[in-house]
Amino acid sequence: MNDSPLNHSGDISAPYLAGLNAPQREAVLNTEGPVLVLSGAGTGKTRVLTTRLVHILSTQRAWPSQILAVTFTNKAANEMKGRISAIIGRPVEGWWLGTFHALAARILRANAEQVGLKPNFTILDTDDQLRLVKQLIQAENLDNQKWPSRVVLGIIERWKDRGLTPERVTRAEQAEVASGRILDIYRDYQARLATLNACDFGDLLLHNIELFQKAPEVLLKYQQQFKYILVDEYQDTNVAQYLWLRLLAQGHRNLCVVGDDDQSVYGWRGAEVENILKFEQDFPGAKVVRLEQNYRSTPHILAAASGLIAKNAGRLGKTLWTERAEGEKVRVTSAWDGEEEARQIGEEVEALQRKGHNLREVAILVRAGFQTREFEERFITLGIPYRVIGGPRFYERLEIRDALAYLRLVNQPDDGLAFERIVNTPRRGLGDSTVRRLHDLARAQAISLPEAARRIVETDELKPAARRSLAGLVQDLARWRGLAETMDHGALAEIVLDESGYTEMWKQDKSIEAPGRLENLKELIHAMEEFENLGGFLEHVSLVMENAESGDRDQLTIMTLHGAKGLEFDIVFLPGWEEGLFPSQRTLDENGLKGLEEERRLAYVGLTRARKIAYVSHAANRRVHNQWQTGLPSRFLAELPPEHIERRDNQTFHRGQSRMFNPGLSEGRWTGASYMQRTARKPPPTIDATAVVAAESPGRYASGAKVFHQKFGYGAVVSAEGDKLEIEFDKAGRKKVMAGFVVPAHEAG
């Protein structure tokens, strides 16, 4: 670093400082002692972090190996490395720059023996963790239906996020969860990890904290090494991350954290907004720098967002401002229902296109995943390209694909792919061996997989439990097809999902995704009502799925508000601002005032994603869980400063009223005619010669013929009816089997 252009005192006219505003410059130049940089949305925090690192290096205050820089994603770490190298004109070696987990793993590998591990320890992925937890649940004789492995693992991970080893979990917390038995699993889980020389992601920080407490000389080494510590997105840190940072920062105390208390929206993932709120208490004498000049949004958008977030009590306080032109006020519109809301937004998007706006400049940010379906349907109708970020498209979601597989089987009895998808979903005790036998029979007889199932349940080929289970599914499918002839297809879908046990499977699942999956299933049933029959709906889904995503296309973005944090767009639509949906009633019920304030921060994040225009909308009626609900406008709408919003009368509000009383009516209703025509023209399946031979083979098994069956052994044919044989086996007794599963005894070798 001797070729650095600056001396130790620094040069405040250095090129890398050019263009910084006064607070940004202050955040960069105050290198000594604890510093909290409160960085509002769009105020240039990444530039401040990067420039601060460049300043420390260029003024020779520290070598790269003496700086600990923590980001929340590997992508952010790589971008920061690239920016710094570009500024100083050369790659920088020896960095301690990365995510919490990556940096903690680096420390742990160098000191693994101190906490009972070997340096080559394995870091388990989620699948391995779930497998291990499931084994421990079974060993503990816990009800796996009531306490699925994913739920138990989630509880353990929350304890780890809070820095709680098994010894530190309080009695109250133990008693609240399965009468304390989850704690026993946690202890056994940690013991098994130690035996395996393994740890999970939560352990990386927990073992670091344990290391620093057990081996003060190791902690002192790192405290002395890291002269400067920088942390990005500090408002998203959990307790374990906070404890780790605080221990390391006690050396030189040159800790600089950058964050925004108004954008702390990950409480459900363990983030503690209190970490940033109490920074000045934890580090007495800390300097607080507020970055309030916004370079992203217009004054009206910023004022609306600032007025809203000011209602939160738990914040340090700042007011965003900008030198940009005034721009347009935040537009607030109403709609009769969710479908009308999607139609309005679709028309507005088309108008923006006519004005020359690119679709990639436009985003729709929803509070709940189920909201995306109506927008996807509308954009397909209008031919507007779109992409769903942070999750699959509606019809690509796991639960929707499963439900559609059931419906495809009702509509088309020989859909083998659909059958294979749901044959053991939910679990029916039909494992891989059963499915293999079905495939063998289907190939041998040149029949579909569902037909193979219908035939094999009339035999003794399968074990009794598997045969009963498969027979039950076959009977259910037949009964549902009978109902389809007289029943509304939406009501039929509800029956299918309920009687199959699929809905109950997700009700019993305690994972964080389960409630959303149930909401999506209800939304699916609602979507079906717009079509005359099941065939027409399934054809529509096929067409929707053909709208393939392409990274090169100019396309609109749909995503959740949580997923949008850190992004920005020229134009942002914020639909669904209704009580119960946004703020989320579940969040309010579970977390009270704390939950309300996090929801308000989420609204603030949504508004501040917009550079030029922000649209907020709400519906008077909405289908939620397949039930019509009257939607009261969100309290957040009343909290927007009236001088910065423009309320637009909805010309079509009353026109949509007819849909409230006849929701099945919609424009461009699909019919099943083209679907039936298409399936009628399908060519017959190709049958190879070996399949034909197998299909004709039953004739050679006359009464008394000696045969061999791989499972039941040798026997003699008692009677034959088509391809069904009744055989008296030497050891297994009398069984009914399919002819395709036996061979003449002399060919058995």
Side-chain angles (χ1 to χ4, degrees):
M1 289 175 41
N2 294 329
D3 58 345
S4 169
L6 305 178
N7 58 32
H8 185 76
S9 61
D11 178 357
I12 60 172
S13 63
Y16 57 78
L17 296 173
L20 297 180
N21 62 36
Q24 288 174 333
R25 184 175 286 239
E26 185 180 9
V28 169
L29 296 178
N30 276 278
T31 57
E32 310 309 304
V35 177
L36 167 60
V37 181
L38 276 180
S39 177
T43 57
K45 75 174 178 66
T46 303
R47 184 177 184 185
V48 166
L49 270 173
T50 303
T51 309
R52 185 180 172 93
L53 279 167
V54 169
H55 181 64
I56 291 170
L57 291 171
S58 297
T59 55
Q60 301 183 24
R61 284 174 164 80
W63 298 93
S65 61
Q66 296 173 316
I67 303 172
L68 183 71
V70 190
T71 63
F72 262 80
T73 65
N74 288 315
K75 180 182 177 183
N78 290 331
E79 286 178 356
M80 193 172 293
K81 288 178 184 177
R83 288 191 186 199
I84 293 169
S85 296
I87 292 173
I88 65 176
R90 63 180 184 276
V92 180
E93 305 295 337
W95 280 113
W96 278 76
L97 194 162
T99 64
F100 278 100
H101 291 126
L103 295 170
R106 188 171 169 182
I107 291 174
L108 188 58
R109 290 207 187 274
N111 302 275
E113 291 88 351
Q114 300 268 19
V115 292
L117 293 172
K118 297 174 184 175
N120 64 342
F121 62 81
T122 301
I123 302 174
L124 298 189
D125 61 19
T126 302
D127 285 345
D128 289 333
Q129 290 175 266
L130 288 171
R131 196 176 302 113
L132 177 54
V133 168
K134 186 175 182 179
Q135 293 170 6
L136 297 173
I137 289 171
Q138 292 170 345
E140 196 68 26
N141 291 320
L142 266 180
D143 183 352
N144 194 51
Q145 293 292 321
K146 187 176 181 182
W147 295 103
S149 53
R150 193 173 294 276
V151 174
V152 174
L153 179 61
I155 294 167
I156 292 172
E157 287 177 336
R158 284 198 296 274
W159 281 337
K160 290 189 177 185
D161 285 343
R162 293 165 55 201
L164 300 176
T165 58
E167 297 73 31
R168 292 196 179 108
V169 177
T170 66
R171 288 188 177 181
E173 285 178 303
Q174 296 173 32
E176 285 176 9
V177 187
S179 303
R181 295 176 70 188
I182 303 292
L183 182 61
D184 294 331
I185 292 176
Y186 185 12
R187 287 196 189 95
D188 293 341
Y189 176 72
Q190 293 301 96
R192 288 290 298 278
L193 288 178
T195 302
L196 294 168
N197 189 37
C199 63
D200 59 24
F201 279 98
D203 283 329
L204 295 174
L205 285 159
L206 273 189
H207 285 325
N208 266 241
I209 295 169
E210 179 189 1
L211 169 69
F212 294 157
Q213 292 170 339
K214 283 185 175 180
E217 71 282 1
V218 175
L219 173 60
L220 180 62
K221 169 193 165 186
Y222 287 108
Q223 286 178 338
Q224 290 176 341
Q225 176 179 341
F226 299 132
K227 293 183 177 180
Y228 295 94
I229 301 176
L230 292 85
V231 187
D232 192 12
E233 303 287 5
Y234 188 66
Q235 78 282 349
D236 293 332
T237 53
N238 60 37
V239 173
Q241 291 163 343
Y242 161 80
L243 292 172
W244 183 78
L245 283 168
R246 187 170 180 180
L247 284 166
L248 289 171
Q250 295 305 316
H252 293 278
R253 294 189 79 248
N254 295 329
L255 171 65
C256 175
V257 302
V258 181
D260 185 0
D261 52 326
D262 292 333
Q263 294 189 71
S264 179
V265 295
Y266 295 125
W268 50 277
R269 274 197 331 212
E272 293 284 350
V273 69
E274 288 79 10
N275 290 349
I276 195 169
L277 295 179
K278 64 180 185 178
F279 185 83
E280 291 178 271
Q281 290 176 237
D282 293 333
F283 298 94
K287 183 171 188 60
V288 179
V289 180
R290 285 175 167 80
L291 304 184
E292 297 174 308
Q293 183 176 359
N294 178 282
Y295 294 93
R296 176 189 300 159
S297 306
T298 63
H300 282 306
I301 292 173
L302 294 180
S306 295
L308 174 66
I309 199 63
K311 305 297 181 184
N312 271 7
R315 62 191 296 262
L316 297 170
K318 60 187 173 303
T319 302
L320 300 183
W321 61 276
T322 183
E323 293 179 344
R324 294 189 61 188
E326 189 173 55
E328 300 184 32
K329 293 184 178 182
V330 175
R331 303 177 188 179
V332 178
T333 60
S334 59
W336 177 253
D337 58 17
E339 182 183 334
E340 182 74 10
E341 181 182 49
R343 191 192 63 76
Q344 282 180 211
I345 290 176
E347 289 178 353
E348 196 67 47
V349 169
E350 287 185 308
L352 290 167
Q353 280 185 294
R354 288 193 293 269
K355 293 176 183 176
H357 290 280
N358 293 322
L359 289 176
R360 64 174 57 92
E361 301 170 356
V362 183
I364 297 175
L365 309 181
V366 299
R367 176 61 184 88
F370 77 87
Q371 289 176 263
T372 70
R373 201 273 308 170
E374 285 173 324
F375 293 108
E376 291 187 60
E377 300 275 13
R378 190 64 194 168
F379 295 146
I380 289 292
T381 302
L382 296 174
I384 295 175
Y386 69 90
R387 60 178 180 162
V388 178
I389 300 282
R393 294 163 178 256
F394 182 80
Y395 291 113
E396 292 173 348
R397 290 178 164 89
L398 177 145
E399 66 277 9
I400 300 302
R401 282 184 175 273
D402 287 346
L404 288 172
Y406 274 104
L407 298 177
R408 283 163 51 191
L409 274 169
V410 171
N411 189 68
Q412 213 289 71
D414 289 314
D415 190 331
L417 291 175
F419 184 84
E420 189 168 8
R421 183 179 183 96
I422 58 87
V423 66
N424 201 38
T425 304
R427 293 191 181 281
R428 299 184 173 91
L430 302 173
D432 293 341
S433 61
T434 301
V435 176
R436 277 197 301 271
R437 295 189 74 78
L438 290 175
H439 275 294
D440 291 343
L441 177 60
R443 282 193 297 270
Q445 300 292 328
I447 56 178
S448 69
L449 205 61
E451 178 61 24
R454 291 190 283 270
R455 294 187 186 186
I456 205 170
V457 296
E458 297 178 8
T459 74
D460 297 316
E461 293 288 345
L462 303 177
K463 292 180 180 178
R467 186 171 68 249
R468 284 193 300 272
S469 183
L470 185 59
L473 176 60
V474 168
Q475 291 163 9
D476 285 342
L477 287 167
R479 185 178 71 259
W480 296 331
R481 287 186 200 108
L483 292 175
E485 296 177 4
T486 58
M487 180 175 285
D488 172 78
H489 52 284
L492 174 65
E494 287 194 78
I495 289 175
V496 170
L497 293 176
D498 287 344
E499 291 187 355
S500 66
Y502 192 75
T503 302
E504 185 62 25
M505 179 187 80
W506 287 116
K507 286 181 179 177
Q508 294 299 322
D509 192 307
K510 303 301 179 185
S511 68
I512 195 168
E513 299 93 353
R517 295 192 191 278
L518 288 168
E519 289 175 1
N520 289 336
L521 291 173
K522 296 294 185 183
E523 184 64 21
L524 174 70
I525 294 168
H526 169 42
M528 296 176 67
E529 295 177 352
E530 300 179 15
F531 301 87
E532 289 183 352
N533 53 50
L534 181 57
F537 171 69
L538 292 173
E539 179 180 287
H540 169 69
V541 172
S542 297
L543 294 172
V544 170
M545 299 290 273
E546 287 174 9
N547 183 47
E549 189 174 309
S550 170
D552 297 330
R553 299 176 71 189
D554 181 34
Q555 51 193 346
L556 174 147
T557 297
I558 306 174
M559 64 194 312
T560 64
L561 285 159
H562 282 102
K565 187 171 172 290
L567 302 178
E568 56 185 74
F569 304 88
D570 281 356
I571 299 144
V572 168
F573 291 90
L574 301 164
W577 281 41
E578 299 129 35
E579 285 295 305
L581 178 54
F582 193 36
S584 159
Q585 190 60 49
R586 189 187 311 136
T587 300
L588 299 185
D589 291 344
E590 293 176 358
N591 301 301
L593 180 60
K594 185 177 179 180
L596 173 62
E597 294 211 340
E598 181 156 321
E599 290 287 294
R600 191 178 281 116
R601 291 194 291 270
L602 197 55
Y604 171 85
V605 166
L607 284 168
T608 54
R609 297 313 92 194
R611 288 189 285 251
K612 297 177 180 178
I613 308 173
Y615 298 82
V616 179
S617 58
H618 62 98
N621 307 281
R622 190 176 295 277
R623 290 291 289 264
V624 180
H625 304 303
N626 207 32
Q627 299 291 323
W628 279 104
Q629 294 182 7
T630 300
L632 294 175
S634 169
R635 69 191 74 188
F636 298 154
L637 291 170
E639 294 172 357
L640 295 173
E643 63 272 23
H644 298 291
I645 66 173
E646 175 189 347
R647 293 190 179 273
R648 293 192 165 191
D649 287 333
N650 178 13
Q651 307 256 330
T652 58
F653 183 88
H654 297 290
R655 200 167 68 210
Q657 186 167 353
S658 62
R659 288 199 183 90
M660 177 63 177
F661 303 103
N662 192 357
L665 291 175
S666 66
E667 307 161 32
R669 173 182 284 183
W670 288 80
T671 69
S674 58
Y675 176 86
M676 299 305 292
Q677 291 166 4
R678 188 177 69 181
T679 53
R681 292 196 301 269
K682 285 179 69 176
T686 301
I687 302 175
D688 62 26
T690 56
V692 173
V693 171
E696 293 175 349
S697 61
R700 60 176 170 160
Y701 295 125
S703 177
K706 299 295 184 181
V707 295
F708 176 79
H709 186 284
Q710 191 165 3
K711 178 179 179 182
F712 300 130
Y714 290 94
V717 175
V718 176
S719 63
E721 182 182 346
D723 58 355
K724 300 185 185 70
L725 305 177
E726 188 170 3
I727 301 173
E728 184 72 38
F729 288 99
D730 296 348
K731 294 182 179 180
R734 187 166 294 197
K735 302 285 184 182
K736 292 179 179 178
V737 301
M738 304 299 298
F741 286 121
V742 300
V743 296
H746 68 274
E747 294 180 11

